[in-house]
Amino acid sequence: MNLPTDELLQQYFDDRLALAKFSFAQRLDKFLDANLTMHELRIILLVASGAVTEKSRLIALVQLPPHSVDATLGGLIEHGYLAPIPPGSQRLTPTDEAMDLFDAAADRRDVTMDMLADLAPEDLSALVQGTQALRRAMEEDAQREGGLLSAGVFQQMQPAS
């Protein structure tokens, strides 16, 4: 594609926006059928992420009265998002349905990988080369003082040593 740089940049941003919309629509679909309040969704995501595993910790984190949290947990158990809490236990366990919502929120099941696998090898190779070039440019920018990306953001993205 031998287009001027400004036209290539515009095409890149148009395509990137379209990809983001497709990805978001795909993830949002899981939430439309859930019929949850933001409060309920917050609790599901906290439990499914592993950030909260016990009712006492949840109560402290959401800063609501225990009876209110109990009522919400009861509804989430009734609707199949949390496993029943055994007597004498504080353990909160997400169900597969809760994990599906977490996976959608975290974008852990990226179906674009299946689509990428179906691309012609030369198209996939070109995409990988372009993505690597953009990553290198972002990393170099983050390492330069006064770059567009802050060094702090760059450091947070690096694998733990």
Side-chain angles (χ1 to χ4, degrees):
M1 195 183 272
N2 290 340
L3 296 174
T5 299
D6 60 335
E7 287 183 37
L8 288 171
L9 288 172
Q10 185 62 51
Q11 184 63 52
Y12 168 77
F13 286 110
D14 291 347
D15 289 342
R16 192 173 93 175
L17 178 60
L19 290 170
K21 285 179 180 180
F22 283 129
S23 178
F24 182 74
Q26 190 176 54
R27 289 172 36 206
L28 185 63
D29 192 44
K30 286 276 186 205
F31 297 96
L32 295 177
D33 294 335
N35 196 25
L36 296 165
T37 67
M38 287 301 292
H39 173 64
E40 291 168 328
L41 180 60
R42 180 179 175 209
I43 289 174
I44 290 169
L45 295 177
L46 285 169
V47 173
S49 71
V52 171
T53 58
E54 296 198 357
K55 188 166 70 170
S56 58
R57 171 77 174 122
L58 178 65
I59 290 169
L61 193 64
V62 297
Q63 297 180 0
L64 291 171
H67 69 276
S68 175
V69 173
D70 284 339
T72 302
L73 292 176
L76 293 175
I77 290 167
E78 182 180 320
H79 289 98
Y81 291 103
L82 297 177
I85 302 169
S89 175
Q90 288 275 312
R91 185 98 178 131
L92 300 173
T93 306
T95 62
D96 289 343
E97 190 155 349
M99 292 309 298
D100 285 346
L101 288 177
F102 177 73
D103 288 343
D107 200 20
R108 290 188 345 164
R109 292 186 187 152
D110 189 359
V111 297
T112 56
M113 292 302 283
D114 294 334
M115 292 177 195
L116 289 171
D118 291 338
L119 289 177
E122 59 274 5
D123 289 341
L124 182 57
S125 178
L127 179 61
V128 168
Q129 283 181 314
T131 304
Q132 287 175 340
L134 181 57
R135 179 182 176 177
R136 281 191 302 273
M138 288 179 157
E139 289 173 347
E140 289 170 8
D141 178 79
Q143 290 175 345
R144 273 195 318 271
E145 190 171 326
L148 297 174
L149 298 175
S150 74
V153 168
F154 177 68
Q155 290 301 324
Q156 288 175 354
M157 296 177 65
Q158 297 305 303
S161 340

